[in-house]
Amino acid sequence: MISAQAQPLTVDPESVVPLPQKLEMETPAADVPPVIARFQGAWIGTWHDDRHILVVERVSADGHAKVIFAQSDSAFYGMNREWWRDDAVIVDGALTMTGFRLFQYVFDGPDRLYMTATLKSGGVTSGTLVRADPARLAAGERPAEWPWPGERVWIPHLTVRTPDGSRPMKLEATYYPPMDAGPAPLAIFTHGSDVGLNQLRSWSFSTEAHWLRRNGFAVLALMRRGRGRSEGINGEEDFGRDHDGGLDDVSAGVAQAVEDLESAITYGRTLPGVKPGRVLLAGQSRGGFLAIHYAGLKPSDVMGVVNFSGGWYPYGPVTTPYYRNAGRGAADKVPQLWLYADNDRLYDEALIREYYQAFTAAGGRARFELIHGIPGDGHLLRLYVDRWRAVADEFLASLVRQGH
């Protein structure tokens, strides 16, 4: 027998992105303007943090293009891996595909595309792709490490070390430098909770990061311990229970999350492009709760809070006191924007209002927006950018005006 390199018998199904056996690549004709011709070629990266390939096989002088769209499996979104050929148009520096979704790609650097996908429902997700070799992709080659929307960085934990004690545990994060020259204030965005293997999914929050960058911030998207590629064990579900099995204590998990966020703030202040001083805290679900809670603990470190559907666990008797304490601690020193939907499947309107009442009665200051008509589950409000962006832009501008 000739020697052969052993191959794994199984692979991660979400690492597979199919393509047709042959790519019909065509060099742009001489009359194709450069602003159109530069889209031609193969592009590889992400869409909503899953693997994605775009191949622009042909472009014409009038802006029409022939493309291949390919994507991986996604357990989180319930999507199967597939590819298809489609038509696209290139107008005003954007390549656009229409259909059951609207895909738009614009240049975000010489060989880098930023893409946004708008669903029929109005939800928006995004991703980043970089130029690749079409021949190698057609031959089946795929990168071991797929391009990511920002710069992956590793945060040394301030309090937790590896089991052998040799070094600090590391937390994964994605850094987005400010768009303009010069230092910018830091915004930290962090995630909610997940179950099972979905806890190993990294979140880039590229849509939210681009929004914050356009508003003058540098952005650090944090994965807390045991989440994504962060080291350690996720202990946020280590709830205290009474003799009947009822929930009576969430303090251990909250304390761990506070330690993780504090490590991110300390590290983030050392990054190039970050302005010294107070930081903006933002987050989804449990991440929104954490932003509110941290601002109550250390108001002098926080310039403001943007809370998307924030909550730690939908049980008022145990969690409402945290909002009361946060309001007492932050008082009127930390402006906050709370964004909720009235059809949130985890946090119903009565519980949301209970949280807000407890916070403000204790002295907290927050602009509260309860948004109606979000399709499906209102807990995913952050995906419906057009429903909250105007209010959120105004809030961020007010922070600047007030010198926070």
Side-chain angles (χ1 to χ4, degrees), residues 204-290:
S204 70
F205 290 109
S206 62
T207 306
E208 294 79 11
H210 274 69
W211 163 64
L212 289 165
R213 291 177 74 215
R214 285 194 297 269
N215 279 278
F217 288 87
V219 183
L220 189 65
L222 167 68
M223 301 301 302
R224 301 190 296 275
R225 73 183 76 173
R227 298 295 307 274
R229 299 184 182 184
S230 291
E231 295 177 332
I233 297 173
N234 173 17
E236 292 180 5
E237 315 305 326
D238 295 341
F239 297 152
R241 301 283 181 178
D242 59 26
H243 278 292
D244 297 325
L247 179 70
D248 66 1
D249 185 15
V250 297
S251 61
V254 172
Q256 288 186 21
V258 167
E259 292 176 347
D260 295 353
L261 181 56
E262 188 162 29
S263 297
I265 292 171
T266 299
Y267 175 82
R269 286 172 167 157
T270 70
L271 289 167
V274 171
K275 181 180 179 181
R278 301 166 79 184
V279 301
L280 176 74
L281 298 181
Q284 159 70 19
S285 189
R286 196 166 280 185
F289 169 98
L290 180 58

Side-chain angles (χ1 to χ4, degrees), residues 145-146 148 150-158 160 162 167-176 200-203 219-232 260 263-272:
E145 186 72 27
W146 286 65
W148 191 242
E151 178 191 355
R152 268 200 171 100
V153 295
W154 300 97
I155 298 170
H157 206 283
L158 294 177
V160 183
T162 54
R167 61 171 176 81
M169 185 179 71
K170 294 180 181 179
L171 302 177
E172 177 194 14
T174 303
Y175 179 56
Y176 302 85
L200 302 181
R201 180 185 181 88
S202 294
W203 292 95
V219 183
L220 189 65
L222 167 68
M223 301 301 302
R224 301 190 296 275
R225 73 183 76 173
R227 298 295 307 274
R229 299 184 182 184
S230 291
E231 295 177 332
D260 295 353
S263 297
I265 292 171
T266 299
Y267 175 82
R269 286 172 167 157
T270 70
L271 289 167

Side-chain angles (χ1 to χ4, degrees), residues 125-396:
T125 57
S126 61
T128 298
L129 300 96
V130 300
R131 197 179 289 279
D133 185 333
R136 296 176 71 173
L137 290 178
E141 289 190 27
R142 301 291 185 268
E145 186 72 27
W146 286 65
W148 191 242
E151 178 191 355
R152 268 200 171 100
V153 295
W154 300 97
I155 298 170
H157 206 283
L158 294 177
T159 58
V160 183
R161 301 185 71 82
T162 54
D164 63 3
S166 63
R167 61 171 176 81
M169 185 179 71
K170 294 180 181 179
L171 302 177
E172 177 194 14
T174 303
Y175 179 56
Y176 302 85
M179 282 188 169
D180 299 325
L186 178 66
I188 295 181
F189 202 107
T190 191
H191 54 81
S193 61
D194 279 313
V195 176
L197 291 178
N198 280 334
Q199 294 179 78
L200 302 181
R201 180 185 181 88
S202 294
W203 292 95
S204 70
F205 290 109
S206 62
T207 306
E208 294 79 11
H210 274 69
W211 163 64
L212 289 165
R213 291 177 74 215
R214 285 194 297 269
N215 279 278
F217 288 87
V219 183
L220 189 65
L222 167 68
M223 301 301 302
R224 301 190 296 275
R225 73 183 76 173
R227 298 295 307 274
R229 299 184 182 184
S230 291
E231 295 177 332
I233 297 173
N234 173 17
E236 292 180 5
E237 315 305 326
D238 295 341
F239 297 152
R241 301 283 181 178
D242 59 26
H243 278 292
D244 297 325
L247 179 70
D248 66 1
D249 185 15
V250 297
S251 61
V254 172
Q256 288 186 21
V258 167
E259 292 176 347
D260 295 353
L261 181 56
E262 188 162 29
S263 297
I265 292 171
T266 299
Y267 175 82
R269 286 172 167 157
T270 70
L271 289 167
V274 171
K275 181 180 179 181
R278 301 166 79 184
V279 301
L280 176 74
L281 298 181
Q284 159 70 19
S285 189
R286 196 166 280 185
F289 169 98
L290 180 58
I292 296 168
H293 178 63
Y294 193 93
L297 296 177
K298 298 193 174 183
S300 61
D301 286 346
V302 184
M303 71 164 67
V305 166
V306 180
N307 158 33
F308 291 91
S309 309
W312 193 263
Y313 192 85
Y315 183 56
V318 172
T319 55
T320 298
Y322 282 90
Y323 292 87
R324 186 177 302 114
N325 292 337
R328 187 178 300 115
D332 62 352
K333 298 186 287 289
V334 183
Q336 305 196 19
L337 174 63
W338 291 18
L339 299 167
Y340 287 90
D342 63 352
N343 62 332
D344 190 311
R345 291 182 182 174
L346 284 177
Y347 300 93
D348 62 31
E349 182 175 342
L351 184 56
I352 293 166
R353 292 189 181 279
E354 179 181 319
Y355 289 161
Y356 180 67
Q357 174 62 28
F359 180 81
T360 55
R365 179 178 132 211
R367 177 170 178 173
F368 175 74
E369 296 286 337
L370 188 68
I371 299 173
H372 307 280
I374 297 298
D377 182 4
H379 198 61
L380 301 178
L381 165 66
R382 71 178 179 86
L383 301 180
Y384 295 86
V385 177
D386 289 344
R387 302 299 304 277
W388 54 260
R389 183 165 48 197
V391 170
D393 284 346
E394 179 183 332
F395 173 76
L396 295 182

Side-chain angles (χ1 to χ4, degrees), residues 62-104:
D62 62 2
H64 285 85
K66 296 289 186 180
V67 304
I68 296 170
F69 183 98
Q71 66 185 27
S72 67
D73 282 350
S74 175
F76 188 87
Y77 288 102
M79 296 194 315
N80 297 107
R81 60 180 178 263
E82 59 180 335
W83 67 267
W84 68 85
R85 280 192 165 93
D86 209 339
D87 296 317
V89 294
I90 302 170
V91 178
D92 296 330
L95 183 148
T96 303
M97 301 164 55
T98 57
F100 66 102
R101 301 183 185 98
L102 187 150
F103 296 98
Q104 189 170 74

